[in-house]
Amino acid sequence: MTSSRATLIQVAERAGVSLASTSRALHGSGASEAMVERVRAAAAELGYSPDVTGRSLRLRKTFQIAFAVADIGNPVYVEMMTAIHEVLAPHGYRVVVMTTGDTPASTTELVRSLGSGFVDGMVLSPLRTDDGLVRAIKQAPVPVVVIGRSLGDQGIDSVSTDSAGGIGQAVRHLLETGRRRIGFLNGPPDTTPGEARRRGFDAAASDPGFAAERVEVALAEDFTVAAGVAAAHRLLAGAPDGGARLDAVVAANDLLAIGAIRAARELGLSVPEDVAVTGMDDTELGRVFQPSLTSVSLGSDERGHAAARIMLRLVDGDAGEPQTTSVGPRLVVRESTVPRPARASAPGEGVR
């Protein structure tokens, strides 16, 4: 019995290039853009698909990289996953998405399972971190790159951001637009994002130039829209002493911010006329929501690209010194905080 499956040799003959050049072009490394296009066109004409199993056995690689997060439905992780794929795919790697659970113990268990050899590396964004997880990452049999807290001092490759500074940007923006009664809507404070964003709000509130008349804080049970609605109802219900209601909410992520806007509507409040709302992460959901959401971008795609580039270096055997990369925050102003007293007829979008 003969097989009609196209071979690499046939692709090379159709493209008119050497076998080695064909292999490099299909794997996205060591070939010019013109060569890659020529070889891939020939492969498409012949219906060629690489023998992944044979390649994996020959090179002792799975050509799979795990991307592990607590909530695979969170749009910020979807954007990171897309960015990681953009870097890895041209080099022949697939991205396998996994959930870590929401405790350090469950995340540690997942990292320890890497010894079974189902992936060549893991990009990990843990919600919570402890000493046991750090040890497991350092002892992992395959490379692990962490997105979130900077762990370079622990000898771990990582990509971080300054979300505390980003909260400060949001607070300053609200003060500049005349808001004086500000609420902070955070997620669980024992998480990496919750701790950093609480620290950022505390720093902003203790700044000598902080001109707010009143500050309130509410903690949501999770970083979700539903948890944001419940917690924002408490923030926006009105002062216990009968004083003026809050006129601004700084939310720790876009999902909480959207929950705050929904809660405001349920209470008969208009956004941004009665209450301005800011988010964090600058997700596509926040960009298309009505009103479009003012949010602090933490460079989800940039962090994904950076982590994937570090991973490629590691799976190629170039360990070297642990690499740490940081992506700065950037405030993107949209409709949910249009300055009072009047909204512009054609609200624009600005970056600070």
Side-chain angles (χ1 to χ4, degrees):
M1 180 180 294
T2 60
S3 172
S4 61
R5 178 174 176 170
T7 67
L8 190 65
I9 293 174
Q10 291 171 323
V11 175
E13 291 174 347
R14 176 65 62 90
V17 300
S18 71
L19 193 61
S21 295
T22 302
S23 178
R24 286 195 299 270
L26 289 174
H27 296 152
S29 60
S32 68
E33 185 176 340
M35 177 71 74
V36 170
E37 290 181 1
R38 183 175 176 180
V39 170
R40 289 183 177 176
E45 289 175 12
L46 294 171
Y48 171 80
S49 60
D51 183 357
V52 177
T53 301
R55 184 184 180 212
S56 295
L57 290 172
R58 185 171 66 257
L59 299 178
R60 296 184 180 181
K61 283 187 173 184
T62 67
F63 290 92
Q64 296 189 146
I65 302 296
F67 177 48
V69 298
D71 179 8
I72 60 175
N74 190 319
V76 70
Y77 294 135
V78 175
E79 293 182 14
M80 280 186 189
M81 177 189 67
T82 301
I84 292 168
H85 168 78
E86 289 172 349
V87 173
L88 296 181
H91 296 270
Y93 288 92
R94 297 186 181 92
V95 178
V96 181
V97 181
M98 300 178 170
T99 57
T100 62
D102 60 3
T103 67
S106 61
T107 308
T108 299
E109 183 179 352
L110 180 62
V111 172
R112 287 175 176 162
S113 73
L114 292 172
S116 61
F118 58 93
V119 292
D120 298 326
M122 174 180 283
V123 177
L124 174 66
S125 186
L127 192 60
R128 295 174 173 88
T129 304
D130 65 6
D131 292 342
L133 176 57
V134 170
R135 283 195 299 272
I137 293 171
K138 294 173 71 172
Q139 295 168 2
V142 298
V144 177
V145 179
V146 173
I147 298 179
R149 181 172 296 171
S150 177
L151 295 173
D153 59 343
Q154 303 277 352
I156 295 173
D157 295 271
S158 56
V159 180
S160 62
T161 187
D162 181 14
S163 59
I167 290 291
Q169 291 182 11
V171 171
R172 287 191 294 273
H173 166 65
L174 291 170
L175 292 172
E176 289 169 359
T177 60
R179 310 292 171 162
R180 291 295 180 266
R181 301 179 300 278
I182 300 177
F184 176 46
L185 177 55
N186 198 11
D190 64 332
T191 62
T192 295
E195 184 278 328
R197 293 163 204 193
R198 176 202 56 76
R199 180 162 35 85
F201 187 80
D202 288 348
S206 61
D207 187 276
F210 185 69
E213 299 167 0
R214 195 170 98 241
V215 171
E216 301 286 345
V217 176
L219 299 180
E221 293 182 355
D222 204 348
F223 291 96
T224 62
V225 173
V229 172
H233 265 284
R234 299 194 299 272
L235 269 182
L236 298 173
D241 58 3
R245 199 190 301 263
L246 295 178
D247 61 5
V249 173
V250 177
N253 77 349
D254 282 2
L255 297 181
L256 291 176
I258 289 170
I261 293 175
R262 178 174 172 179
R265 289 172 176 165
E266 292 173 354
L267 292 168
L269 302 175
S270 177
V271 177
E273 289 79 7
D274 297 318
V275 57
V277 178
T278 68
M280 177 164 277
D281 288 328
D282 189 31
T283 60
E284 183 178 7
L285 180 61
R287 295 191 287 271
V288 302
F289 193 74
Q290 289 297 318
S292 58
L293 186 64
T294 291
S295 185
V296 178
S297 170
L298 299 177
S300 300
D301 54 346
E302 296 172 65
R303 287 185 286 157
H305 287 153
R309 286 192 293 268
I310 294 173
M311 179 57 68
L312 281 177
R313 175 177 61 81
L314 295 174
V315 295
D316 284 343
D318 181 12
E321 292 296 318
Q323 185 174 341
T324 58
T325 301
S326 181
V327 176
R330 181 174 53 98
L331 179 70
V332 183
V333 179
R334 299 193 181 92
E335 296 170 332
S336 67
T337 60
V338 171
R340 292 186 294 179
R343 291 180 63 173
S345 58
E349 180 176 299
V351 176
R352 302 208 176 171

